[in-house]
Amino acid sequence: MMHLPFLKSGRHHLLHSSNIMAELASTSEIPKHPTKDEICQSLLAHDASTFFEGKPAVDIPRAAVLIPLFFKNEELHVLLTVRSQHLNTHGGEVAFPGGKEDETDVDIVETALREAEEEIGLPQDQVEVISKVVPSIAKYGIVVTPIVGFISEDFVPQPNPDEVECAFSVPLADFLSDENHTLQRGTWQDRPWIMHFFHHPHTTNAGKKIVTWGLTAHMAMVVASMIYKRPPNFETDKGFIWENPTKAAEETYFRFLSRNGYVEQQEGSKL
């Protein structure tokens, strides 16, 4: 069992077809505790290893994060971190361990593993890598690829204070629940956008309540939807296509390329 001694321990109407699916999800028999084999099968069904094949070769900053999964009391949990307050970007925010690609990295998987080892002391050979998840575009135009892997439930994070204030874990299914969830509406790339906030029963070393939001929340929702094979029980925007994350990611990626002059938008496209 994982011990983290450094930590103190109505439904919305949906904007698109997920409204029907969310209602069905609340009543249909969906396994609450999928097995490891079932989880791996679900992740591999949406593996994004070939996502960039056949797409324009552009020079965009890239990064990777590790989404560490483990079982705790037979329930699937995910490990997250709170970034150190003094960091220039995203200081004090919840994040998966990860960072920018280094020129010495063999591939994007090594980026995620290397960063996780640097940030929380997770040995690279103690991660069972399962799959790549579709990339997301971070706030500053960085393409972030999530890598999902299993770790031991006995792993005790050793946060690097230069980068991480603390680490904590929550059930992955929390990112599909409307309990302790709030949202904020806005626009991104000139389109309606919903920002999701998940309020956790943890506090930082400084006593501040922990909230996961933004890109980290989005990636957690994507992975949770893949594994539990259902949409969240709350409102999402049209850019969140839970049953086809590749389609959603491709639309966002090509729209980003077009808006930033990497490629020309073709007439009649949906970019």
Side-chain angles (χ1 to χ4, degrees):
M1 179 175 294
M2 180 175 290
H3 301 286
L4 303 178
F6 42 87
L7 287 178
K8 305 172 185 178
S9 304
R11 184 160 305 186
H12 302 285
H13 177 69
L14 302 184
L15 294 180
H16 52 104
S17 60
S18 291
N19 58 340
I20 300 175
M21 295 306 299
E23 294 299 324
L24 290 175
S26 65
T27 57
S28 61
E29 295 184 1
I30 298 175
K32 184 177 181 181
H33 301 306
T35 66
K36 183 177 178 180
D37 285 345
E38 291 170 337
I39 291 168
C40 292
Q41 290 174 9
S42 297
L43 291 170
L44 290 172
H46 296 286
D47 182 69
S49 295
T50 61
F51 181 85
F52 293 104
E53 292 183 7
K55 293 181 174 60
V58 293
D59 185 18
I60 302 176
R62 300 185 186 276
V65 297
L66 178 67
I67 300 183
L69 303 178
F70 65 95
F71 286 100
K72 181 177 181 180
N73 299 326
E74 299 184 353
E75 186 173 15
L76 186 64
H77 277 61
V78 62
L79 182 68
L80 299 110
T81 72
V82 177
R83 290 168 58 83
S84 294
Q85 295 285 344
H86 66 266
L87 294 175
N88 292 330
T89 58
H90 306 293
E93 295 181 9
V94 174
F96 291 113
K100 291 183 180 179
E101 183 180 34
D102 190 283
E103 59 182 13
T104 61
D105 292 337
V106 174
D107 54 26
I108 205 68
V109 173
E110 183 175 343
T111 300
L113 297 179
R114 174 182 54 77
E115 288 284 345
E117 185 169 28
E118 293 175 1
E119 292 183 6
I120 57 174
L122 176 61
Q124 298 184 35
D125 61 1
Q126 292 185 20
V127 180
E128 181 185 356
V129 175
I130 304 302
S131 70
K132 294 180 182 177
V133 178
V134 289
S136 297
I137 309 297
K139 181 178 179 180
Y140 299 105
I142 301 174
V143 178
V144 183
T145 299
I147 308 298
V148 183
F150 274 96
I151 63 173
S152 170
E153 65 175 335
D154 297 321
F155 169 68
V156 178
Q158 301 295 326
N160 176 354
D162 291 335
E163 301 185 63
V164 174
E165 178 178 345
C166 64
F168 68 102
S169 68
V170 296
L172 181 65
D174 283 4
F175 291 100
L176 298 179
S177 173
D178 54 4
E179 185 177 356
N180 299 318
H181 165 271
T182 58
L183 59 80
Q184 179 178 322
R185 304 176 190 280
T187 58
W188 187 66
Q189 295 188 357
D190 299 327
R191 293 191 171 203
W193 183 260
I194 294 179
M195 186 80 73
H196 299 278
F197 299 81
F198 296 90
H199 306 262
H200 306 298
H202 302 289
T203 58
T204 65
N205 296 337
K208 181 180 178 181
K209 289 200 170 184
I210 295 178
V211 180
T212 300
W213 61 284
L215 188 63
T216 300
H218 173 78
M219 291 188 291
M221 289 165 54
V222 170
V223 172
S225 290
M226 287 180 182
I227 291 175
Y228 290 97
K229 299 181 180 180
R230 67 176 180 87
N233 289 336
F234 46 78
E235 182 179 358
T236 59
D237 55 54
K238 292 182 178 180
F240 187 86
I241 309 175
W242 74 271
E243 64 270 56
N244 193 345
T246 299
K247 177 182 178 181
E250 286 182 337
E251 290 180 354
T252 299
Y253 183 67
F254 278 110
R255 189 162 60 247
F256 168 78
L257 294 182
S258 175
R259 286 176 56 85
N260 289 275
Y262 290 107
V263 297
E264 292 185 5
Q265 181 171 337
Q266 298 180 355
E267 184 176 355
S269 70
K270 296 182 180 180
L271 303 183

mmCIF file of all heavy atoms in Angstrom, residues 39-84:
data_model
loop_
_atom_site.group_PDB
_atom_site.id
_atom_site.type_symbol
_atom_site.label_atom_id
_atom_site.label_comp_id
_atom_site.label_asym_id
_atom_site.label_seq_id
_atom_site.Cartn_x
_atom_site.Cartn_y
_atom_site.Cartn_z
ATOM 1 N N ILE A 39 -7.753 -3.057 -18.260
ATOM 2 C CA ILE A 39 -7.236 -1.688 -18.382
ATOM 3 C C ILE A 39 -6.249 -1.596 -19.534
ATOM 4 O O ILE A 39 -6.319 -0.666 -20.362
ATOM 5 C CB ILE A 39 -6.567 -1.259 -17.065
ATOM 6 C CG1 ILE A 39 -7.620 -1.085 -15.974
ATOM 7 C CG2 ILE A 39 -5.775 0.031 -17.243
ATOM 8 C CD1 ILE A 39 -7.047 -0.936 -14.584
ATOM 9 N N CYS A 40 -5.347 -2.560 -19.615
ATOM 10 C CA CYS A 40 -4.354 -2.552 -20.688
ATOM 11 C C CYS A 40 -5.021 -2.658 -22.054
ATOM 12 O O CYS A 40 -4.640 -1.962 -23.001
ATOM 13 C CB CYS A 40 -3.355 -3.686 -20.485
ATOM 14 S SG CYS A 40 -2.274 -3.478 -19.046
ATOM 15 N N GLN A 41 -6.028 -3.527 -22.156
ATOM 16 C CA GLN A 41 -6.731 -3.669 -23.422
ATOM 17 C C GLN A 41 -7.412 -2.363 -23.831
ATOM 18 O O GLN A 41 -7.370 -1.963 -25.005
ATOM 19 C CB GLN A 41 -7.762 -4.788 -23.312
ATOM 20 C CG GLN A 41 -7.156 -6.180 -23.215
ATOM 21 C CD GLN A 41 -8.197 -7.258 -22.957
ATOM 22 O OE1 GLN A 41 -9.409 -7.005 -23.006
ATOM 23 N NE2 GLN A 41 -7.737 -8.460 -22.649
ATOM 24 N N SER A 42 -8.016 -1.684 -22.866
ATOM 25 C CA SER A 42 -8.704 -0.424 -23.167
ATOM 26 C C SER A 42 -7.714 0.642 -23.621
ATOM 27 O O SER A 42 -7.981 1.406 -24.565
ATOM 28 C CB SER A 42 -9.467 0.057 -21.929
ATOM 29 O OG SER A 42 -10.477 -0.857 -21.566
ATOM 30 N N LEU A 43 -6.577 0.712 -22.950
ATOM 31 C CA LEU A 43 -5.568 1.711 -23.309
ATOM 32 C C LEU A 43 -4.964 1.425 -24.672
ATOM 33 O O LEU A 43 -4.780 2.333 -25.500
ATOM 34 C CB LEU A 43 -4.474 1.752 -22.241
ATOM 35 C CG LEU A 43 -4.883 2.322 -20.883
ATOM 36 C CD1 LEU A 43 -3.780 2.087 -19.857
ATOM 37 C CD2 LEU A 43 -5.189 3.810 -20.988
ATOM 38 N N LEU A 44 -4.644 0.159 -24.927
ATOM 39 C CA LEU A 44 -4.030 -0.195 -26.201
ATOM 40 C C LEU A 44 -4.990 -0.013 -27.371
ATOM 41 O O LEU A 44 -4.561 0.220 -28.501
ATOM 42 C CB LEU A 44 -3.526 -1.639 -26.154
ATOM 43 C CG LEU A 44 -2.308 -1.859 -25.236
ATOM 44 C CD1 LEU A 44 -1.996 -3.341 -25.101
ATOM 45 C CD2 LEU A 44 -1.098 -1.099 -25.772
ATOM 46 N N ALA A 45 -6.285 -0.095 -27.097
ATOM 47 C CA ALA A 45 -7.275 0.127 -28.151
ATOM 48 C C ALA A 45 -7.225 1.562 -28.663
ATOM 49 O O ALA A 45 -7.653 1.849 -29.792
ATOM 50 C CB ALA A 45 -8.675 -0.203 -27.637
ATOM 51 N N HIS A 46 -6.700 2.472 -27.833
ATOM 52 C CA HIS A 46 -6.602 3.884 -28.232
ATOM 53 C C HIS A 46 -5.138 4.356 -28.264
ATOM 54 O O HIS A 46 -4.882 5.560 -28.188
ATOM 55 C CB HIS A 46 -7.390 4.757 -27.257
ATOM 56 C CG HIS A 46 -8.865 4.500 -27.249
ATOM 57 N ND1 HIS A 46 -9.697 4.914 -28.257
ATOM 58 C CD2 HIS A 46 -9.658 3.852 -26.350
ATOM 59 C CE1 HIS A 46 -10.938 4.546 -27.994
ATOM 60 N NE2 HIS A 46 -10.945 3.906 -26.842
ATOM 61 N N ASP A 47 -4.216 3.415 -28.364
ATOM 62 C CA ASP A 47 -2.798 3.781 -28.343
ATOM 63 C C ASP A 47 -2.485 4.768 -29.466
ATOM 64 O O ASP A 47 -2.922 4.599 -30.610
ATOM 65 C CB ASP A 47 -1.930 2.540 -28.492
ATOM 66 C CG ASP A 47 -0.451 2.868 -28.427
ATOM 67 O OD1 ASP A 47 0.022 3.240 -27.343
ATOM 68 O OD2 ASP A 47 0.220 2.776 -29.481
ATOM 69 N N ALA A 48 -1.717 5.799 -29.123
ATOM 70 C CA ALA A 48 -1.450 6.885 -30.076
ATOM 71 C C ALA A 48 -0.005 6.885 -30.573
ATOM 72 O O ALA A 48 0.528 7.937 -30.941
ATOM 73 C CB ALA A 48 -1.781 8.224 -29.426
ATOM 74 N N SER A 49 0.627 5.723 -30.598
ATOM 75 C CA SER A 49 2.023 5.642 -31.030
ATOM 76 C C SER A 49 2.222 6.128 -32.464
ATOM 77 O O SER A 49 3.292 6.615 -32.820
ATOM 78 C CB SER A 49 2.534 4.204 -30.892
ATOM 79 O OG SER A 49 2.571 3.816 -29.537
ATOM 80 N N THR A 50 1.190 5.993 -33.291
ATOM 81 C CA THR A 50 1.313 6.397 -34.697
ATOM 82 C C THR A 50 0.622 7.727 -34.976
ATOM 83 O O THR A 50 0.381 8.062 -36.140
ATOM 84 C CB THR A 50 0.718 5.310 -35.611
ATOM 85 O OG1 THR A 50 -0.684 5.138 -35.298
ATOM 86 C CG2 THR A 50 1.435 3.977 -35.420
ATOM 87 N N PHE A 51 0.326 8.482 -33.945
ATOM 88 C CA PHE A 51 -0.460 9.707 -34.113
ATOM 89 C C PHE A 51 0.170 10.667 -35.116
ATOM 90 O O PHE A 51 -0.529 11.278 -35.933
ATOM 91 C CB PHE A 51 -0.628 10.415 -32.768
ATOM 92 C CG PHE A 51 -1.439 11.685 -32.834
ATOM 93 C CD1 PHE A 51 -2.823 11.648 -32.758
ATOM 94 C CD2 PHE A 51 -0.815 12.916 -32.987
ATOM 95 C CE1 PHE A 51 -3.575 12.818 -32.839
ATOM 96 C CE2 PHE A 51 -1.554 14.090 -33.061
ATOM 97 C CZ PHE A 51 -2.944 14.037 -32.987
ATOM 98 N N PHE A 52 1.487 10.836 -35.077
ATOM 99 C CA PHE A 52 2.139 11.838 -35.920
ATOM 100 C C PHE A 52 2.484 11.319 -37.313
ATOM 101 O O PHE A 52 2.946 12.091 -38.151
ATOM 102 C CB PHE A 52 3.406 12.360 -35.232
ATOM 103 C CG PHE A 52 3.114 13.148 -33.982
ATOM 104 C CD1 PHE A 52 3.327 12.582 -32.735
ATOM 105 C CD2 PHE A 52 2.612 14.436 -34.055
ATOM 106 C CE1 PHE A 52 3.055 13.295 -31.580
ATOM 107 C CE2 PHE A 52 2.325 15.156 -32.902
ATOM 108 C CZ PHE A 52 2.549 14.583 -31.659
ATOM 109 N N GLU A 53 2.269 10.045 -37.568
ATOM 110 C CA GLU A 53 2.549 9.505 -38.893
ATOM 111 C C GLU A 53 1.585 10.092 -39.921
ATOM 112 O O GLU A 53 0.382 10.157 -39.700
ATOM 113 C CB GLU A 53 2.433 7.977 -38.875
ATOM 114 C CG GLU A 53 3.509 7.302 -38.052
ATOM 115 C CD GLU A 53 3.422 5.787 -38.103
ATOM 116 O OE1 GLU A 53 2.590 5.271 -38.894
ATOM 117 O OE2 GLU A 53 4.159 5.119 -37.360
ATOM 118 N N GLY A 54 2.139 10.522 -41.054
ATOM 119 C CA GLY A 54 1.322 11.088 -42.116
ATOM 120 C C GLY A 54 0.903 12.520 -41.885
ATOM 121 O O GLY A 54 0.175 13.099 -42.691
ATOM 122 N N LYS A 55 1.367 13.109 -40.791
ATOM 123 C CA LYS A 55 1.040 14.508 -40.505
ATOM 124 C C LYS A 55 2.231 15.389 -40.856
ATOM 125 O O LYS A 55 3.370 14.909 -40.953
ATOM 126 C CB LYS A 55 0.654 14.665 -39.035
ATOM 127 C CG LYS A 55 -0.655 13.954 -38.689
ATOM 128 C CD LYS A 55 -1.028 14.146 -37.236
ATOM 129 C CE LYS A 55 -2.404 13.551 -36.929
ATOM 130 N NZ LYS A 55 -2.472 12.110 -37.201
ATOM 131 N N PRO A 56 2.002 16.687 -41.075
ATOM 132 C CA PRO A 56 3.094 17.588 -41.463
ATOM 133 C C PRO A 56 4.254 17.532 -40.472
ATOM 134 O O PRO A 56 4.040 17.517 -39.253
ATOM 135 C CB PRO A 56 2.428 18.974 -41.453
ATOM 136 C CG PRO A 56 0.976 18.691 -41.661
ATOM 137 C CD PRO A 56 0.706 17.390 -40.973
ATOM 138 N N ALA A 57 5.466 17.479 -41.008
ATOM 139 C CA ALA A 57 6.661 17.480 -40.155
ATOM 140 C C ALA A 57 6.975 18.925 -39.786
ATOM 141 O O ALA A 57 7.448 19.705 -40.609
ATOM 142 C CB ALA A 57 7.840 16.852 -40.889
ATOM 143 N N VAL A 58 6.675 19.304 -38.569
ATOM 144 C CA VAL A 58 6.870 20.680 -38.114
ATOM 145 C C VAL A 58 7.727 20.683 -36.852
ATOM 146 O O VAL A 58 7.735 19.721 -36.080
ATOM 147 C CB VAL A 58 5.520 21.374 -37.834
ATOM 148 C CG1 VAL A 58 4.739 21.567 -39.127
ATOM 149 C CG2 VAL A 58 4.689 20.573 -36.844
ATOM 150 N N ASP A 59 8.449 21.760 -36.682
ATOM 151 C CA ASP A 59 9.339 21.891 -35.532
ATOM 152 C C ASP A 59 8.594 22.568 -34.391
ATOM 153 O O ASP A 59 8.553 23.791 -34.293
ATOM 154 C CB ASP A 59 10.575 22.700 -35.937
ATOM 155 C CG ASP A 59 11.606 22.761 -34.815
ATOM 156 O OD1 ASP A 59 11.518 21.922 -33.901
ATOM 157 O OD2 ASP A 59 12.486 23.644 -34.859
ATOM 158 N N ILE A 60 7.977 21.772 -33.533
ATOM 159 C CA ILE A 60 7.199 22.258 -32.402
ATOM 160 C C ILE A 60 7.818 21.714 -31.121
ATOM 161 O O ILE A 60 8.199 20.545 -31.066
ATOM 162 C CB ILE A 60 5.730 21.794 -32.492
ATOM 163 C CG1 ILE A 60 5.090 22.279 -33.780
ATOM 164 C CG2 ILE A 60 4.926 22.297 -31.305
ATOM 165 C CD1 ILE A 60 3.670 21.777 -33.966
ATOM 166 N N PRO A 61 7.942 22.542 -30.098
ATOM 167 C CA PRO A 61 8.453 22.039 -28.823
ATOM 168 C C PRO A 61 7.588 20.888 -28.317
ATOM 169 O O PRO A 61 6.359 20.952 -28.378
ATOM 170 C CB PRO A 61 8.352 23.256 -27.893
ATOM 171 C CG PRO A 61 8.320 24.437 -28.804
ATOM 172 C CD PRO A 61 7.616 23.981 -30.038
ATOM 173 N N ARG A 62 8.242 19.860 -27.829
ATOM 174 C CA ARG A 62 7.510 18.688 -27.374
ATOM 175 C C ARG A 62 7.859 18.371 -25.926
ATOM 176 O O ARG A 62 8.948 18.654 -25.454
ATOM 177 C CB ARG A 62 7.806 17.477 -28.271
ATOM 178 C CG ARG A 62 7.425 17.716 -29.726
ATOM 179 C CD ARG A 62 7.604 16.468 -30.578
ATOM 180 N NE ARG A 62 7.364 16.768 -31.983
ATOM 181 C CZ ARG A 62 6.182 16.801 -32.561
ATOM 182 N NH1 ARG A 62 5.097 16.536 -31.830
ATOM 183 N NH2 ARG A 62 6.041 17.086 -33.833
ATOM 184 N N ALA A 63 6.897 17.759 -25.258
ATOM 185 C CA ALA A 63 7.080 17.358 -23.865
ATOM 186 C C ALA A 63 6.296 16.074 -23.639
ATOM 187 O O ALA A 63 5.507 15.644 -24.491
ATOM 188 C CB ALA A 63 6.598 18.452 -22.918
ATOM 189 N N ALA A 64 6.536 15.463 -22.500
ATOM 190 C CA ALA A 64 5.807 14.246 -22.153
ATOM 191 C C ALA A 64 5.550 14.225 -20.661
ATOM 192 O O ALA A 64 6.306 14.803 -19.876
ATOM 193 C CB ALA A 64 6.597 13.002 -22.564
ATOM 194 N N VAL A 65 4.470 13.579 -20.287
ATOM 195 C CA VAL A 65 4.172 13.366 -18.864
ATOM 196 C C VAL A 65 3.915 11.888 -18.655
ATOM 197 O O VAL A 65 3.493 11.174 -19.571
ATOM 198 C CB VAL A 65 2.949 14.185 -18.393
ATOM 199 C CG1 VAL A 65 3.208 15.673 -18.529
ATOM 200 C CG2 VAL A 65 1.693 13.773 -19.145
ATOM 201 N N LEU A 66 4.180 11.431 -17.445
ATOM 202 C CA LEU A 66 3.864 10.054 -17.080
ATOM 203 C C LEU A 66 2.594 10.045 -16.255
ATOM 204 O O LEU A 66 2.465 10.824 -15.300
ATOM 205 C CB LEU A 66 5.011 9.449 -16.269
ATOM 206 C CG LEU A 66 4.787 8.003 -15.787
ATOM 207 C CD1 LEU A 66 4.744 7.043 -16.968
ATOM 208 C CD2 LEU A 66 5.870 7.597 -14.793
ATOM 209 N N ILE A 67 1.654 9.201 -16.638
ATOM 210 C CA ILE A 67 0.433 9.018 -15.863
ATOM 211 C C ILE A 67 0.580 7.691 -15.131
ATOM 212 O O ILE A 67 0.311 6.623 -15.689
ATOM 213 C CB ILE A 67 -0.813 9.038 -16.764
ATOM 214 C CG1 ILE A 67 -0.906 10.380 -17.502
ATOM 215 C CG2 ILE A 67 -2.083 8.782 -15.952
ATOM 216 C CD1 ILE A 67 -2.127 10.543 -18.370
ATOM 217 N N PRO A 68 1.035 7.737 -13.866
ATOM 218 C CA PRO A 68 1.321 6.502 -13.126
ATOM 219 C C PRO A 68 0.068 5.922 -12.484
ATOM 220 O O PRO A 68 -0.595 6.577 -11.688
ATOM 221 C CB PRO A 68 2.325 6.958 -12.052
ATOM 222 C CG PRO A 68 2.630 8.411 -12.350
ATOM 223 C CD PRO A 68 1.445 8.923 -13.110
ATOM 224 N N LEU A 69 -0.246 4.687 -12.817
ATOM 225 C CA LEU A 69 -1.414 4.006 -12.277
ATOM 226 C C LEU A 69 -0.983 2.903 -11.318
ATOM 227 O O LEU A 69 0.079 2.304 -11.487
ATOM 228 C CB LEU A 69 -2.244 3.390 -13.408
ATOM 229 C CG LEU A 69 -2.751 4.312 -14.511
ATOM 230 C CD1 LEU A 69 -3.507 3.494 -15.554
ATOM 231 C CD2 LEU A 69 -3.633 5.411 -13.951
ATOM 232 N N PHE A 70 -1.803 2.642 -10.330
ATOM 233 C CA PHE A 70 -1.563 1.527 -9.419
ATOM 234 C C PHE A 70 -2.866 1.179 -8.714
ATOM 235 O O PHE A 70 -3.809 1.978 -8.694
ATOM 236 C CB PHE A 70 -0.475 1.868 -8.395
ATOM 237 C CG PHE A 70 -0.846 2.975 -7.450
ATOM 238 C CD1 PHE A 70 -1.381 2.700 -6.194
ATOM 239 C CD2 PHE A 70 -0.668 4.310 -7.812
ATOM 240 C CE1 PHE A 70 -1.731 3.719 -5.317
ATOM 241 C CE2 PHE A 70 -1.011 5.338 -6.946
ATOM 242 C CZ PHE A 70 -1.549 5.046 -5.695
ATOM 243 N N PHE A 71 -2.924 -0.019 -8.169
ATOM 244 C CA PHE A 71 -4.116 -0.453 -7.453
ATOM 245 C C PHE A 71 -3.923 -0.228 -5.958
ATOM 246 O O PHE A 71 -2.878 -0.537 -5.392
ATOM 247 C CB PHE A 71 -4.395 -1.936 -7.708
ATOM 248 C CG PHE A 71 -4.948 -2.200 -9.076
ATOM 249 C CD1 PHE A 71 -4.126 -2.657 -10.100
ATOM 250 C CD2 PHE A 71 -6.288 -1.996 -9.334
ATOM 251 C CE1 PHE A 71 -4.636 -2.896 -11.364
ATOM 252 C CE2 PHE A 71 -6.816 -2.235 -10.601
ATOM 253 C CZ PHE A 71 -5.987 -2.685 -11.619
ATOM 254 N N LYS A 72 -4.943 0.323 -5.340
ATOM 255 C CA LYS A 72 -4.953 0.544 -3.898
ATOM 256 C C LYS A 72 -6.293 0.049 -3.377
ATOM 257 O O LYS A 72 -7.338 0.567 -3.769
ATOM 258 C CB LYS A 72 -4.772 2.037 -3.596
ATOM 259 C CG LYS A 72 -4.734 2.386 -2.122
ATOM 260 C CD LYS A 72 -4.484 3.877 -1.966
ATOM 261 C CE LYS A 72 -4.409 4.291 -0.509
ATOM 262 N NZ LYS A 72 -4.175 5.752 -0.360
ATOM 263 N N ASN A 73 -6.264 -0.974 -2.529
ATOM 264 C CA ASN A 73 -7.504 -1.604 -2.056
ATOM 265 C C ASN A 73 -8.378 -2.031 -3.230
ATOM 266 O O ASN A 73 -9.594 -1.835 -3.224
ATOM 267 C CB ASN A 73 -8.267 -0.661 -1.128
ATOM 268 C CG ASN A 73 -7.468 -0.287 0.106
ATOM 269 O OD1 ASN A 73 -6.698 -1.097 0.621
ATOM 270 N ND2 ASN A 73 -7.627 0.942 0.569
ATOM 271 N N GLU A 74 -7.729 -2.569 -4.258
ATOM 272 C CA GLU A 74 -8.376 -3.097 -5.462
ATOM 273 C C GLU A 74 -8.988 -2.023 -6.351
ATOM 274 O O GLU A 74 -9.631 -2.339 -7.353
ATOM 275 C CB GLU A 74 -9.453 -4.134 -5.096
ATOM 276 C CG GLU A 74 -8.907 -5.347 -4.360
ATOM 277 C CD GLU A 74 -9.970 -6.399 -4.104
ATOM 278 O OE1 GLU A 74 -11.154 -6.109 -4.390
ATOM 279 O OE2 GLU A 74 -9.608 -7.483 -3.642
ATOM 280 N N GLU A 75 -8.787 -0.764 -6.009
ATOM 281 C CA GLU A 75 -9.316 0.336 -6.826
ATOM 282 C C GLU A 75 -8.168 1.025 -7.551
ATOM 283 O O GLU A 75 -7.095 1.236 -6.981
ATOM 284 C CB GLU A 75 -10.066 1.344 -5.963
ATOM 285 C CG GLU A 75 -10.756 2.440 -6.767
ATOM 286 C CD GLU A 75 -11.621 3.337 -5.916
ATOM 287 O OE1 GLU A 75 -11.486 3.305 -4.669
ATOM 288 O OE2 GLU A 75 -12.433 4.087 -6.484
ATOM 289 N N LEU A 76 -8.408 1.389 -8.803
ATOM 290 C CA LEU A 76 -7.373 2.016 -9.614
ATOM 291 C C LEU A 76 -7.136 3.452 -9.173
ATOM 292 O O LEU A 76 -8.070 4.259 -9.125
ATOM 293 C CB LEU A 76 -7.779 1.988 -11.088
ATOM 294 C CG LEU A 76 -6.723 2.474 -12.079
ATOM 295 C CD1 LEU A 76 -5.491 1.566 -12.053
ATOM 296 C CD2 LEU A 76 -7.316 2.530 -13.489
ATOM 297 N N HIS A 77 -5.890 3.768 -8.846
ATOM 298 C CA HIS A 77 -5.498 5.115 -8.445
ATOM 299 C C HIS A 77 -4.498 5.693 -9.439
ATOM 300 O O HIS A 77 -3.855 4.969 -10.197
ATOM 301 C CB HIS A 77 -4.854 5.103 -7.052
ATOM 302 C CG HIS A 77 -5.839 5.114 -5.927
ATOM 303 N ND1 HIS A 77 -6.766 4.111 -5.743
ATOM 304 C CD2 HIS A 77 -6.035 6.006 -4.914
ATOM 305 C CE1 HIS A 77 -7.502 4.387 -4.675
ATOM 306 N NE2 HIS A 77 -7.083 5.525 -4.161
ATOM 307 N N VAL A 78 -4.369 7.006 -9.395
ATOM 308 C CA VAL A 78 -3.393 7.697 -10.222
ATOM 309 C C VAL A 78 -2.573 8.630 -9.334
ATOM 310 O O VAL A 78 -3.098 9.242 -8.401
ATOM 311 C CB VAL A 78 -4.086 8.485 -11.362
ATOM 312 C CG1 VAL A 78 -5.014 9.563 -10.812
ATOM 313 C CG2 VAL A 78 -3.056 9.081 -12.311
ATOM 314 N N LEU A 79 -1.291 8.709 -9.629
ATOM 315 C CA LEU A 79 -0.377 9.538 -8.847
ATOM 316 C C LEU A 79 -0.164 10.880 -9.541
ATOM 317 O O LEU A 79 0.096 10.935 -10.749
ATOM 318 C CB LEU A 79 0.967 8.820 -8.687
ATOM 319 C CG LEU A 79 2.036 9.519 -7.844
ATOM 320 C CD1 LEU A 79 1.611 9.550 -6.375
ATOM 321 C CD2 LEU A 79 3.378 8.793 -7.980
ATOM 322 N N LEU A 80 -0.282 11.961 -8.778
ATOM 323 C CA LEU A 80 -0.066 13.308 -9.301
ATOM 324 C C LEU A 80 0.895 14.060 -8.392
ATOM 325 O O LEU A 80 1.190 13.625 -7.279
ATOM 326 C CB LEU A 80 -1.382 14.073 -9.403
ATOM 327 C CG LEU A 80 -2.446 13.478 -10.319
ATOM 328 C CD1 LEU A 80 -3.599 12.931 -9.491
ATOM 329 C CD2 LEU A 80 -2.960 14.501 -11.321
ATOM 330 N N THR A 81 1.341 15.207 -8.859
ATOM 331 C CA THR A 81 2.234 16.042 -8.068
ATOM 332 C C THR A 81 1.698 17.468 -7.995
ATOM 333 O O THR A 81 0.854 17.872 -8.805
ATOM 334 C CB THR A 81 3.653 16.099 -8.677
ATOM 335 O OG1 THR A 81 3.635 16.904 -9.879
ATOM 336 C CG2 THR A 81 4.177 14.713 -9.001
ATOM 337 N N VAL A 82 2.199 18.204 -7.017
ATOM 338 C CA VAL A 82 1.973 19.645 -6.942
ATOM 339 C C VAL A 82 3.318 20.301 -7.212
ATOM 340 O O VAL A 82 4.296 20.040 -6.510
ATOM 341 C CB VAL A 82 1.432 20.080 -5.568
ATOM 342 C CG1 VAL A 82 1.291 21.603 -5.507
ATOM 343 C CG2 VAL A 82 0.089 19.411 -5.294
ATOM 344 N N ARG A 83 3.377 21.126 -8.241
ATOM 345 C CA ARG A 83 4.633 21.760 -8.618
ATOM 346 C C ARG A 83 5.065 22.780 -7.558
ATOM 347 O O ARG A 83 4.231 23.409 -6.906
ATOM 348 C CB ARG A 83 4.485 22.454 -9.978
ATOM 349 C CG ARG A 83 4.359 21.466 -11.125
ATOM 350 C CD ARG A 83 3.932 22.143 -12.409
ATOM 351 N NE ARG A 83 4.836 23.206 -12.828
ATOM 352 C CZ ARG A 83 5.966 23.012 -13.511
ATOM 353 N NH1 ARG A 83 6.318 21.778 -13.863
ATOM 354 N NH2 ARG A 83 6.728 24.024 -13.856
ATOM 355 N N SER A 84 6.376 22.932 -7.428
ATOM 356 C CA SER A 84 6.917 23.874 -6.448
ATOM 357 C C SER A 84 6.433 25.284 -6.736
ATOM 358 O O SER A 84 6.307 25.695 -7.900
ATOM 359 C CB SER A 84 8.447 23.828 -6.460
ATOM 360 O OG SER A 84 8.899 22.564 -6.013
#
